[in-house]
Amino acid sequence: MNASDPYYVQASALGTRFNSLLGKLARHGVSLAGTAELSVRGRTSGAMQRIPVNPHTYEGTQYLVSARGHSQWVRNMRVAGGGELRVGRKVRPFTATEITDPAQKAAILRAYLEKWGWEVNRFFQGVTATSTDAELQSAAADHPVFRITVSP
């Protein structure tokens, strides 16, 4: 990766296996600490791509945060504009709007790290829930955030 590439931390082989297990659990109705399986249409293949995610509620609104950066699901979401969250038989279709304002993203990231930091801090390059607003705003460009609106 060169300096002009967007930030992205690819999962290791063990991480990929662990994510696969979390996705299977969510598909079968077992949500660990609030995880769900995200399905989003692939931007080139058109096939539904699945990955476990941590939907996060902040001030009454749900968000998806990409702790690993500009991942494939993020790139697919930008094209598809939405997807589905699944836990067992409960499937929630949604539309997604990317949050681009660094100050707004910083507040969402702080709340996300307060809840999920134990799992994702290693992807935030030293930024934590107790970091300054300026540090969180600086990290915001590396961690896409989508506001999701669940369809009725």
Side-chain angles (χ1 to χ4, degrees):
M1 181 162 97
N2 67 47
S4 65
D5 288 338
Y7 177 78
Y8 173 57
V9 178
Q10 188 167 357
S12 66
L14 181 61
T16 299
R17 291 175 98 168
F18 185 68
N19 281 344
S20 177
L21 174 63
L22 286 176
K24 284 181 183 178
L25 288 171
R27 238 183 343 274
H28 290 89
V30 179
S31 173
L32 300 178
T35 60
E37 183 182 64
L38 167 67
S39 294
V40 61
R41 190 157 310 280
R43 64 193 180 282
T44 55
S45 71
M48 293 302 274
Q49 306 296 311
R50 300 183 305 204
I51 188 164
V53 293
N54 300 322
H56 179 66
T57 301
Y58 174 71
E59 294 185 345
T61 302
Q62 276 210 306
Y63 297 90
L64 292 177
V65 175
S66 180
R68 291 180 180 271
H70 297 268
S71 62
Q72 294 301 316
W73 77 258
V74 167
R75 295 167 191 192
N76 290 336
M77 186 70 68
R78 287 175 175 148
V79 173
E84 297 175 341
L85 291 174
R86 172 187 297 271
V87 177
R89 293 182 182 181
K90 185 176 183 182
V91 178
R92 299 181 302 148
F94 66 88
T95 57
T97 305
E98 189 165 6
I99 306 300
T100 57
D101 175 52
Q104 185 180 9
K105 281 177 71 173
I108 297 164
L109 289 175
R110 182 181 306 284
Y112 179 80
L113 289 168
E114 285 171 355
K115 181 171 183 179
W116 297 102
W118 61 272
E119 181 183 355
V120 300
N121 271 345
R122 68 186 180 275
F123 304 121
F124 279 80
Q125 305 176 77
V127 174
T128 68
T130 59
S131 293
T132 66
D133 288 345
E135 290 168 328
L136 283 160
Q137 286 181 27
S138 178
D142 290 338
H143 302 281
V145 175
F146 294 88
R147 178 180 52 247
I148 62 172
T149 305
V150 177
S151 303

